[in-house]
C-alpha cells in the first residue's frame, strides 16, 4: 500500500502574509523553518556577537531543570570523523537563575524569532514545576519537553520509553500552561510512532524528532572512553537519514507539526526533513562548528523555493512520494 502523508496544515493569513518561508506551528508564526536546537545555543544571548537570531525562525534554549546541575565530568565533548559525541549531563543554572538572568537578556535580543525553552526533569513532577515557573517569563512562547531524561525514581528508564510516565509528564505540563508544548523523542524508541500518539493524546501540540543516539568513542592510545562520563549522545551529519525516517514515520501517525532534528548542515538536509513532514528544522552541532551556517541555510532554502517555483515553502511539507 502507498503511504500517504496527512496534508500540511493550512497557514493562517497572518503567517501566509509573513513571507514565503513562514511556517505555522502550534499556533505560533515562524518567519522561516530554521531554529537553533537545544543545548548548542545556550540561552541565546551567548551568541549575540556571532549569530543574528532575528534572521532565524527561532531558538530552543539550553535545558532548564528545577535545581542547578553541574553536569558530567570533563571532557564532555569529543569529535570524531562522523560527527560529535557529548555527555554534558544537562548542566544548567536551574529554574530561578534562568528566569531571573538569562531569559530577560534573551528577550532583549529577539522580537521576530520565536523562543522555546527546553525542559528537563528527573522525576515526573519536575517537568511541570519548570513549565509553571517559566510560564510568564520574558520571551518564552512555548516549551520543549525532553522526555529522554532518566526517571531516577523509576530505575533510570527514560520517560519517553515508559508510556505511563510519558502520559503523566505531558498531562501535568498541559495543566501548567496554555502555551505550546513540544515533546522531544528519542530515535531509538522501538515504537516511535506509537509513542508520538501517546504524547499527542496527552496534550502535546508538536513533536521534535529526534534526540541524539547513544554511542561510545574510544581514546585508543589511552585505552579509555574519550568522554569523562564514558558513553554519550552522538550527533552530526550521519543522523540525517535516521531523523528523516523517524519524521516520516511519525508524520503517518499524527497530524501535529514536527520539528525535524539531527545532522542538518545544509538546505538540502533541511529539505529532506520538510519533505518527510517536518514544519521546522533544528540545527545543532553544525551551528556550533559554524555559527553562520543557519543563516546560510535560510538563504539557500529561499533560493531553492524560487528556483523550483514554490510560492510558499510550507506547501512542500509532507509531500514526499513514497514508492509503490
Amino acid at each position: 500500500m502507498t503511504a500517504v502523508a496527512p496534508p500540511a496544515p493550512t497557514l493562517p493569513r497572518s503567517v501566509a502574509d509573513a513571507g514565503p518561508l513562514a511556517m505555522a506551528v502550534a499556533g505560533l508564526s515562524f518567519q522561516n523553518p530554521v531554529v537553533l536546537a537545544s543545548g548548542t545555543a545556550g540561552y541565546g544571548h551567548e551568541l549575540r556577537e556571532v549569530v543574528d537570531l532575528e534572521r532565524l525562525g527561532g531558538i530552543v534554549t539550553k535545558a532548564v531543570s528545577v535545581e542547578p546541575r553541574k553536569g558530567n565530568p570533563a571532557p564532555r565533548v569529543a569529535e570524531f570523523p562522523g560527527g560529535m559525541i557529548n555527555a554534558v549531563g544537562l548542566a544548567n543554572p536551574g529554574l530561578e537563575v534562568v528566569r531571573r538572568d538569562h531569559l530577560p537578556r534573551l528577550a532583549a535580543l529577539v522580537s521576530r524569532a520565536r523562543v522555546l525553552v527546553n525542559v528537563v526533569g528527573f522525576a515526573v513532577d519536575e517537568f511541570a514545576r519548570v513549565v509553571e515557573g517559566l510560564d510568564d517569563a520574558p520571551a518564552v512562547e512555548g516549551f520543549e519537553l525532553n522526555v529522554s531524561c532518566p526517571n531516577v525514581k523509576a530505575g533510570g528508564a527514560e520517560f519517553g520509553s515508559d508510556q505511563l510516565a510519558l502520559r503523566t509528564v505531558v498531562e501535568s505540563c498541559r495543566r501548567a500552561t496554555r502555551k505550546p508544548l513540544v515533546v522531544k523523542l528519542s530515535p531509538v524508541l522501538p515504537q516511535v510512532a506509537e509513542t508520538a500518539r501517546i504524547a499527542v493524546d496527552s496534550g502535546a501540540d508538536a513533536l521534535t524528532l529526534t534526540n541524539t543516539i547513544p554511542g561510545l568513542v574510544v581514546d585508543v592510545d589511552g585505552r579509555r572512553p574519550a568522554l569523562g562520563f564514558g558513553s554519550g549522545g552522538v550527533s552530526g551529519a550521519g543522523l540525517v537519514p535516521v531523523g528523516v525516517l523517524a519524521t516520516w514515520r511519525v508524520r503517518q501517525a499524527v497530524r501535529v507539526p514536527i520539528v525535524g532534528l539531527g545532522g542538518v548542515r545544509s538546505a538540502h538536509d533541511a529539505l529532506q526533513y520538510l519533505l518527510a513532514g517536518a514544519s521546522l528544522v533544528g540545527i545543532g552541532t553544525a551551528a556550533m562548528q559554524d555559527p553562520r551556517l543557519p543563516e546560510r541555510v535560510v538563504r539557500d532554502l529561499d533560493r531553492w523555493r524560487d528556483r523550483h517555483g514554490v510560492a510558499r515553502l510550507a506547501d512542500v511539507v509532507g509531500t514526499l512520494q513514497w514508492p509503490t
Side-chain angles (χ1 to χ4, degrees):
M1 186 191 316
T2 303
V4 179
T10 302
L11 289 175
R13 181 174 297 277
S14 60
V15 178
D17 292 344
L21 299 183
M23 295 284 178
V25 174
L28 299 176
S29 170
F30 289 76
Q31 63 184 349
N32 62 65
V34 176
V35 299
L36 295 181
S38 173
T40 58
Y43 298 100
H45 61 84
E46 298 95 329
L47 302 178
R48 62 189 178 279
E49 301 297 330
V50 292
V51 177
D52 184 355
L53 295 177
E54 291 290 73
R55 293 182 180 271
L56 306 180
I59 176 175
V60 184
T61 72
K62 183 177 175 62
V64 182
S65 57
V66 174
E67 301 295 336
R69 285 181 60 86
K70 292 182 178 180
N72 291 328
R76 296 178 173 184
V77 177
E79 292 187 280
F80 63 97
M84 185 181 80
I85 187 169
N86 84 87
V88 175
L90 302 172
N92 74 93
L95 167 62
E96 292 304 322
V97 172
V98 170
R99 179 184 174 89
R100 185 190 68 221
D101 298 338
H102 292 282
L103 292 176
R105 295 171 70 182
L106 176 56
L109 295 176
V110 297
S111 60
R112 297 190 299 274
R114 301 300 192 182
V115 175
L116 303 178
V117 172
N118 183 273
V119 177
V120 296
F122 303 92
V124 168
D125 66 302
E126 291 184 3
F127 289 86
R129 288 171 62 189
V130 174
V131 169
E132 185 175 17
L134 297 180
D135 192 41
D136 62 348
V140 176
E141 296 183 88
F143 300 93
E144 181 184 73
L145 309 180
N146 180 3
V147 294
S148 299
C149 303
N151 185 349
V152 297
K153 293 185 178 179
E158 292 184 2
F159 290 95
S161 65
D162 181 330
Q163 293 187 3
L164 178 59
L166 174 62
R167 190 179 299 278
T168 304
V169 165
V170 179
E171 288 178 346
S172 63
C173 290
R174 181 73 288 159
R175 291 191 295 269
T177 184
R178 294 184 177 181
K179 292 181 177 179
L181 293 177
V182 184
V183 174
K184 187 174 187 177
L185 300 177
S186 167
V188 298
L189 290 169
Q191 299 293 334
V192 66
E194 178 59 28
T195 303
R197 288 192 190 96
I198 292 170
V200 172
D201 290 345
S202 302
D205 300 293
L207 302 164
T208 295
L209 301 162
T210 61
N211 212 326
T212 55
I213 293 179
L216 174 65
V217 173
V218 175
D219 172 358
V220 296
D221 293 328
R223 302 186 186 186
R224 59 178 178 266
L227 299 179
F229 182 73
S231 62
V234 176
S235 60
L239 265 64
V240 171
V242 176
V244 171
L245 178 58
T247 297
W248 184 82
R249 283 176 170 168
V250 170
R251 176 72 176 178
Q252 313 311 305
V254 298
R255 293 180 177 267
V256 300
I258 294 170
V259 184
L261 176 63
V264 174
R265 300 183 60 85
S266 66
H268 180 270
D269 296 336
L271 283 159
Q272 292 189 63
Y273 277 101
L274 295 173
L275 291 167
S279 296
L280 299 177
V281 179
I283 300 180
T285 300
M288 288 182 64
Q289 297 167 334
D290 179 1
R292 298 294 186 187
L293 183 138
E295 294 176 45
R296 294 200 300 273
V297 171
V298 173
R299 177 200 66 196
D300 292 344
L301 284 172
D302 200 29
R303 290 177 175 176
W304 182 92
R305 178 200 59 78
D306 186 60
R307 187 166 66 250
H308 288 267
V310 175
R312 300 181 311 173
L313 194 60
D315 293 338
V316 309
V317 171
T319 60
L320 176 66
Q321 301 298 305
W322 198 258
T324 58

